[in-house]
Amino acid sequence: MANLVVIGTQWGDEGKGKIVDLLSAKADTIVRFQGGHNAGHTLVIGQNVFKLSLLPSGIIRENKSTVIGNGVVLDPWKLVEEINLVRSKEISIDPNRLIISENTPLILPFHKELDLFREKASGNKKIGTTGRGIGPAYEDKVGRRALRSGDLKEVETIKSRLRTLVDHHNILRRGYNAKLIDEESVFTEIMKIREEIIEYIGPVWQFLNSQIKDGKNLLFEGAQGSMLDVDFGTYPFVTSSSTLAGAASTGTGVSHNKIQSVLGITKAYTTRVGKGPMPTELFDEVGQLLSQIGKEKGTVTGRDRRCGWFDAPLVKRSCVINGVTGIALTKIDVLDRLEKIKICVGYRTEETIFNEFPLSSDVAETIEPIYEEMDGWNCNTSGMKRLSQLPEEARKYVERIEKFLETKVNLISTGPERDETILLEDPFI
Ligand code: IMP
């Protein structure tokens, strides 16, 4: 029995989807524990490309069960859309394969409207959210007025919870002079969609703990990345959930001491979408090259990702706060054409040297990276499957990262397909 959490150590988009898909071969159950359909994972399986944002990646393997935990915020319309998409590829989904926690808060249409409205109204102070209603839905969760999936079982509960929620939002809307929410029509839409998802709603915490008792392997699939964590990320340019490994426990009801390993998915360079500090961002032709070769466009919003050199202190902090036990280094092949490669090993302002990535975004906006330069390998590594195939310079790059992070690289990804992977150590201990 082994339970493993997979998290992103940077700003998301580290390539978690592929790694989770690869590891899910060894898992019995794959679990989403935070975030919502702001996450995007692209899975390439032969000719089929799956772009999922809400369903756990394991859904495309028919012999696996998948779970959406209480730490997620769930848009039921998006869920049904994804279920239909997966089914359209001849993959079956039924309540034995997909369980949604009863205490998962729902994203309703007015959450999305509020998210978009706020972003528009914020002018140059916008966060650059995905506009999916994630933040407003989490606000209602901690404001103790959310409609949760388990509430869908009773019509009277839906009515009374919706009343409280809509009353709250309409107070805000009156303040903004915006059109009020029509409670009746939202209720009608909820009643329609509930028919399609009600059979999947169940006691996730019980299911997962009984799986553990039976010696099954659980794989917890994180979304976004540690630098988007609501506490430890580049606040306020963060998402609204806890993206750290600890959330696998609070977001599902599986105790932290039942989880043995944390795999930190780490891109061989740095990217971010949306606003906020990114000290190693490149505005030159190297940045453009990374963007083009790495196909750095957001899965969910299609926005261009900002690209830059590998930021080692940033990833080091992620390793520490997540308790990372091993690294999956992804997209190393994107660096193939570079003569020289830089690694950021610290930061400076005119007065100060920083060994750690600063917690304050205001400070992080002012720092300059301190770089170490290494020789590139200038040859093709894409699709490599064995360490011995990697050119010496690429191996040195991996070793330098390991040394800085004081963490072992468990696997290296050399392309989008499952088998384009160099496995060094099994992360499922
Ligand atoms: P939200 O999660 O939609 O509220 O967006 C907040 C910030 O997190 C924005 O900068 C988004 O671009 C970013 N973000 C949210 N989800 C992802 C993701 O899956 N990958 C990368 N960035 C994300």
Side-chain angles (χ1 to χ4, degrees):
M1 186 272 290
N3 302 317
L4 170 72
V5 186
V6 170
I7 49 97
T9 61
Q10 294 150 314
W11 276 288
D13 308 315
E14 296 92 351
K16 291 182 290 297
K18 167 191 156 166
I19 306 293
V20 170
D21 172 57
L22 184 74
L23 296 174
S24 61
K26 279 191 85 175
D28 298 287
T29 301
I30 298 90
V31 186
R32 280 279 313 260
F33 57 90
Q34 49 73 225
H37 63 304
N38 50 348
H41 27 263
T42 306
L43 307 171
V44 183
I45 288 105
Q47 298 302 310
N48 274 333
V49 179
F50 295 83
K51 285 186 187 287
L52 299 178
S53 57
L54 183 56
L55 287 169
S57 304
I59 199 77
I60 60 172
R61 293 183 184 253
E62 293 207 69
N63 53 347
K64 308 289 169 187
S65 21
T66 62
V67 160
I68 296 181
N70 56 281
V72 169
V73 281
L74 177 93
D75 180 326
W77 293 274
K78 182 66 189 172
L79 179 75
V80 169
E81 189 188 309
E82 283 200 0
I83 290 176
N84 290 338
L85 178 96
V86 172
R87 282 192 178 139
S88 74
K89 310 251 179 182
E90 317 279 296
I91 296 172
S92 73
I93 299 185
D94 61 49
N96 290 324
R97 290 230 305 124
L98 173 66
I99 312 176
I100 300 163
S101 189
E102 290 157 313
N103 46 349
T104 302
L106 299 183
I107 302 180
L108 299 176
F110 49 82
H111 290 127
K112 181 177 173 177
E113 287 166 23
L114 181 58
D115 194 358
L116 293 171
F117 171 80
R118 278 201 193 130
E119 283 287 276
K120 206 166 155 211
S122 308
N124 62 4
K125 289 222 163 105
K126 55 166 70 94
I127 307 283
T129 72
T130 57
R132 300 292 197 265
I134 306 295
Y138 276 115
E139 286 168 37
D140 282 339
K141 167 181 168 166
V142 296
R144 294 159 294 192
R145 55 182 172 264
L147 180 71
R148 308 200 297 182
S149 49
D151 298 333
L152 296 179
K153 290 182 181 163
E154 295 291 337
V155 177
E156 285 314 310
T157 315
I158 302 176
K159 277 189 184 154
S160 75
R161 290 226 158 254
L162 190 62
R163 165 85 26 95
T164 311
L165 193 51
V166 169
D167 280 352
H168 172 81
H169 279 264
N170 277 340
I171 291 171
L172 295 180
R173 285 184 177 223
R174 281 193 192 91
Y176 287 133
N177 236 343
K179 187 167 166 266
L180 298 188
I181 297 164
D182 177 0
E183 189 182 320
E184 198 49 44
S185 72
V186 179
F187 175 74
T188 309
E189 291 306 311
I190 291 173
M191 290 302 289
K192 277 194 230 152
I193 202 73
R194 112 184 166 124
E195 295 309 316
E196 301 199 51
I197 67 166
I198 202 144
E199 58 179 338
Y200 300 107
I201 299 166
V204 156
W205 74 272
Q206 284 175 5
F207 172 74
L208 292 178
N209 282 294
S210 73
Q211 289 244 306
I212 292 173
K213 241 184 176 170
D214 294 346
K216 307 273 193 214
N217 289 343
L218 307 185
L219 177 60
F220 294 86
E221 174 179 10
Q224 290 86 43
S226 305
M227 295 304 285
L228 289 171
D229 179 71
V230 67
D231 294 297
F232 278 94
T234 43
Y235 192 89
F237 303 100
V238 290
T239 191
S240 299
S241 64
S242 175
T243 62
L244 305 184
S249 174
T250 54
T252 59
V254 169
S255 163
H256 65 93
N257 61 11
K258 297 280 190 322
I259 298 171
Q260 293 80 18
S261 316
V262 179
L263 184 68
I265 314 296
T266 304
K267 205 180 269 187
Y269 49 100
T270 310
T271 61
R272 95 171 279 179
V273 260
K275 306 270 184 189
M278 177 177 165
T280 63
E281 183 168 11
L282 292 168
F283 300 95
D284 57 6
E285 62 283 1
V286 177
Q288 280 165 21
L289 194 88
L290 295 176
S291 166
Q292 276 162 20
I293 300 184
K295 299 195 179 68
E296 295 296 352
K297 263 194 194 306
T299 312
V300 172
T301 58
R303 290 180 291 178
D304 286 333
R305 297 180 187 138
R306 301 152 64 189
C307 297
W309 295 118
F310 188 78
D311 190 331
L314 174 157
V315 178
K316 177 107 184 245
R317 182 170 91 196
S318 296
C319 288
V320 173
I321 61 183
N322 285 289
V324 167
T325 51
I327 294 279
L329 194 65
T330 61
K331 297 185 102 167
I332 194 159
D333 54 304
V334 174
L335 305 177
D336 281 354
R337 286 211 232 144
L338 299 171
E339 294 278 342
K340 295 280 175 193
I341 298 178
K342 291 184 184 175
I343 298 184
C344 166
V345 292
Y347 319 90
R348 64 157 66 94
T349 59
E350 273 185 15
E351 306 82 36
T352 320
I353 300 281
F354 295 79
N355 294 320
E356 314 280 348
F357 191 94
L359 261 183
S360 154
S361 285
D362 290 344
V363 177
E365 288 286 10
T366 66
I367 55 177
E368 297 279 329
I370 301 172
Y371 286 120
E372 260 177 35
E373 194 174 73
M374 301 184 72
D375 288 332
W377 41 96
N378 234 323
C379 66
N380 186 19
T381 63
S382 68
M384 285 185 175
K385 297 177 176 66
R386 287 192 309 279
L387 187 65
S388 58
Q389 292 176 301
L390 267 193
E392 200 190 332
E393 293 82 359
R395 266 183 277 162
K396 281 194 177 147
Y397 186 66
V398 175
E399 280 161 20
R400 181 66 191 110
I401 288 174
E402 280 186 322
K403 189 161 176 235
F404 194 98
L405 303 181
E406 298 177 84
T407 311
K408 279 266 164 224
V409 171
N410 286 172
L411 50 92
I412 303 170
S413 171
T414 57
E417 296 272 358
R418 273 178 190 161
D419 62 350
E420 293 176 319
T421 308
I422 300 171
L423 186 62
L424 303 170
E425 244 171 77
D426 187 347
F428 254 115
I429 50 167

